[in-house]
């Protein structure tokens, strides 16, 4: 058991160091900051002009439930882990010291660590551009309460993402932030596992294309054709807190939906690895 965990820890460490040395990592962080500036830059002007305060995590909750930021964050995500599994120089030596199952699990752990770090960076970017106008008490700000009530006219108040009163009725900001953060981690781990399976099958980095196709299909079904019956099987819609309630049954369903599919994808990746030579994939 100690050797098993030790091997996984070493591979995770190697992957994280290589991610940190990759220019794509910093390009993804820069694009994340640009996403915040694009969607909340106008808001900061409004806050400064009228000396309005905003709660620390409110913007994160509404941003991840909006189509524009979802697309932008997905492109950032693809830059970060779209080429998973990470096949680097020297993998032949590494694979001679461990087995495929340990290697795959280490890949997944490194990927989850990267996603968690990146989402925290996204929240830090929001706090950075709204510095001086942030409050940390666990109550919805008067500004967001007004925006939620105005909805379609929220743009006049510098608001540039979805506006809905539903999140305000479902709990405190930090509670919804924790749920939104968990949903985002599950969503992007799910996307990453799809990428890993497709990349292992094809021997190419086609997984990113499949994720983009999924999002385009979601947009077509719910924004152009409007097929609401599919909302309970649409990953991007399940994490939308502006339309989905977070009562225990729905929360449990959402978590189990992602966990079950992630486990199936991990099993599929393990089956593919049994028949593939990892060293030849690089």
């Amino acid at each position: 058991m100690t050797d098993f965990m030790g091997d996984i820890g070493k591979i995770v460490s190697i992957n994280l160091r290589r991610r940190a040395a990759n220019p794509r990592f910093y390009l993804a962080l820069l694009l994340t900051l640009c996403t915040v500036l694009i969607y909340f830059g106008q808001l900061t002007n409004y806050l400064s002009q009228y000396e309005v305060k905003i709660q620390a995590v409110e913007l994160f909750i509404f941003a991840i439930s909006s189509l524009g930021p979802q697309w932008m964050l997905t492109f950032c995500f693809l830059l970060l882990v779209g080429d998973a599994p990470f096949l680097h120089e020297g993998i032949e030596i590494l694979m001679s010291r461990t087995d495929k199952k340990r290697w795959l699990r280490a890949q997944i752990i490194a990927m989850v660590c990267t996603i968690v770090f990146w989402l925290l960076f996204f929240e830090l970017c929001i706090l950075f551009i709204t510095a001086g106008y942030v409050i940390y008490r666990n109550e919805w700000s008067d500004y967001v309460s007004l925006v939620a009530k105005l909805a379609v006219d929220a743009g006049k108040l510098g608001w540039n993402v979805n506006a809905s009163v539903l999140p305000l009725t479902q709990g405190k900001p930090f509670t919804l932030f924790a749920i939104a953060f968990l949903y985002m981690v599950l969503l992007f781990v799910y996307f990453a596992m799809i990428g890993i399976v497709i990349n292992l099958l094809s021997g190419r980095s086609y997984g990113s294309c499949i994720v983009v196709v999924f999002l385009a299909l979601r947009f077509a079904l719910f924004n152009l054709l409007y097929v609401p019956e599919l909302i309970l099987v649409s990953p991007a819609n399940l994490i939308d807190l502006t339309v989905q309630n977070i009562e225990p049954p729905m929360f449990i369903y959402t978590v189990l939906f992602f966990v079950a599919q992630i486990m199936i994808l991990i099993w599929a990746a393990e089956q593919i690895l049994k028949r593939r030579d990892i060293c030849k994939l690089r």
Side-chain angles (χ1 to χ4, degrees):
M1 182 66 178
T2 303
D3 290 341
F4 180 81
M5 296 304 296
D7 286 347
I8 289 180
K10 289 176 183 177
I11 301 172
V12 169
S13 178
I14 291 171
N15 280 333
L16 292 177
R17 289 200 302 269
R18 287 184 176 274
R19 285 292 95 187
N22 192 324
R24 289 175 54 161
F25 176 79
Y26 299 98
L27 181 59
L29 296 185
L30 178 60
L31 185 57
T32 302
L33 176 59
C34 291
T35 300
V36 173
L37 292 173
I38 289 170
Y39 287 97
F40 299 122
Q42 184 180 354
L43 171 62
T44 56
N45 294 331
Y46 182 90
L47 296 178
S48 61
Q49 182 178 355
Y50 295 99
E51 298 184 354
V52 176
K53 299 292 184 181
I54 194 164
Q55 210 277 344
V57 297
E58 288 173 329
L59 297 185
F60 183 97
I61 294 167
F62 284 93
I64 64 104
S65 299
S66 303
L67 187 62
Q70 278 184 4
W71 274 96
M72 294 289 287
L73 290 174
T74 299
F75 287 127
C76 297
F77 156 79
L78 293 176
L79 282 172
L80 282 172
V81 297
D83 57 341
F86 309 124
L87 307 171
H88 51 74
E89 294 181 5
I91 193 171
E92 296 85 354
I93 299 174
L94 182 62
M95 291 308 300
S96 69
R97 299 175 179 174
T98 187
D99 58 49
K100 293 178 179 179
K101 182 174 287 189
R102 296 183 187 185
W103 177 81
L104 178 63
R105 292 182 180 181
Q107 293 280 325
I108 295 169
I109 292 172
M111 186 176 59
V112 171
C113 292
T114 302
I115 290 171
V116 168
F117 170 81
W118 164 60
L119 290 174
L120 289 173
F121 177 79
F122 177 56
E123 170 60 18
L124 288 174
C125 288
I126 293 174
L127 293 176
F128 174 73
I129 70 162
T130 56
Y133 309 101
V134 175
I135 53 176
Y136 292 92
R137 68 172 184 267
N138 198 19
E139 299 288 343
W140 297 100
S141 67
D142 293 337
Y143 170 75
V144 164
S145 299
L146 178 60
V147 163
K149 292 175 183 176
L150 289 175
V152 293
D153 295 322
K156 298 176 182 178
L157 302 179
W159 193 259
N160 201 26
V161 293
N162 285 0
S164 169
V165 75
L166 184 60
L168 280 65
T169 65
Q170 300 197 86
K172 301 291 187 179
F174 284 119
T175 302
L176 262 69
F177 171 75
I179 293 172
F181 195 91
L182 173 63
Y183 281 1
M184 286 295 281
V185 171
L186 290 172
L187 176 69
F188 284 119
V189 171
Y190 170 66
F191 282 163
M193 286 309 306
I194 291 174
I196 285 179
V197 170
I198 298 298
N199 292 345
L200 287 174
L201 273 174
S202 64
R204 302 266 195 281
S205 295
Y206 293 152
S208 298
C209 299
I210 300 300
V211 170
V212 172
V213 169
F214 274 11
L215 285 175
L217 183 62
R218 176 249 179 171
F219 176 79
L221 289 175
F222 293 96
N223 295 80
L224 301 180
L225 302 177
Y226 190 64
V227 186
E229 292 79 9
L230 298 178
I231 196 167
L232 290 179
V233 294
S234 168
N237 281 90
L238 282 174
I239 69 161
D240 187 345
L241 297 184
T242 63
V243 296
Q244 293 281 13
N245 69 67
I246 55 167
E247 294 175 357
M250 191 63 196
F251 173 76
I252 294 171
Y253 169 80
T254 301
V255 172
L256 290 180
F257 173 89
F258 283 110
V259 170
Q261 296 203 60
I262 289 169
M263 295 304 295
I264 291 171
L265 289 166
I266 291 174
W267 175 84
E270 289 178 346
Q271 299 310 304
I272 296 168
L273 277 176
K274 289 179 181 179
R275 303 189 301 270
R276 300 299 296 268
D277 185 343
I278 298 175
C279 299
K280 291 181 179 180
L281 291 175
R282 186 170 63 84

